[in-house]
Structure formats: structure tokens, C-alpha cells
Amino acid sequence: MSDTPTTLRQQLQQLEVELRAASLWSAQPPSQEAMASTMPFMYDTLRIEEWLQWVFVPRLHALLDADASLPGNCSVHPLAEHEWTSRLPSGTHAQALKLLADIDATLNKD
């Protein structure tokens, strides 16, 4: 029996902790217009950390809560690494990146 749901839930909770610690977590949600984007990762309206907070994490929690199928192909880490490395001070986001790599691996192994 796979322990993927438990592992993934723990990783998502830790990701929130790390995003907060790196000041990449917002109390203010994006506008409805921004959330209506149809582009991958909503990159035309949201920063990667906003997408993680308001789309990725809640959707994965909803799938876990519903005992629904999880995505079998996830590659969030490379985009976050690209975005944050070019925009944030070195080291501030290292733990969040590690967690995203772990989440990608957890979702890709099943």
C-alpha cells in the first residue's frame, strides 16, 4: 500500500512553512481576474509563489481530501527554480525548492 497521500500532505504543509519563512506567502489573495488565467501556472497573471499558494497547494489538498487520483506527472520545481533564482536573494528559497523537488518526485513515482 502506498503512503503517497500521507507523504504528500506532509510535504505540502512543510512547503507552506518554508514559503512563509522566505516571505513568499501572502495574506492577500490574487484578484478574480488574475485567477481566471488559462495559461500554464497562470504565469501571465501570478508569480510562481502566488500560484503555489492559491492554486497548487489547495488543489492537491482537495484531491487528497477527496481521495481522488493525484497527478502522475509533476514538474513544478524547474519553473520555481528558474523564477526564484533570477529574482530572489540566494539561499532565501533553498528549502522551498528542495520541497518542490520532493513533491515532484512523490507525484512522479506512482
Side-chain angles (χ1 to χ4, degrees), residues 1-29:
M1 179 175 215
S2 174
D3 195 30
T4 298
T6 300
T7 299
L8 182 58
R9 196 172 297 274
Q10 290 170 347
Q11 290 169 330
L12 292 171
Q13 291 167 344
Q14 189 60 39
L15 178 61
E16 179 178 342
V17 168
E18 294 302 332
L19 290 173
R20 285 180 186 274
S23 298
L24 296 172
W25 195 264
S26 175
Q28 183 68 28

Side-chain angles (χ1 to χ4, degrees), residues 50-110:
E50 293 171 316
W51 180 82
L52 289 167
Q53 178 180 352
W54 301 104
V55 179
F56 184 72
V57 171
R59 285 186 183 169
L60 285 177
H61 275 300
L63 290 172
L64 290 168
D65 292 345
D67 198 25
S69 295
L70 296 169
N73 186 10
C74 187
S75 297
V76 176
H77 174 268
L79 177 61
E81 182 176 44
H82 172 75
E83 291 292 319
W84 290 338
T85 301
S86 65
R87 185 167 44 90
L88 301 176
S90 180
T92 59
H93 52 284
Q95 282 302 112
L97 280 177
K98 182 189 178 318
L99 280 160
L100 287 172
D102 293 345
I103 290 168
D104 283 352
T106 296
L107 290 170
N108 293 339
K109 75 178 180 181
D110 283 348

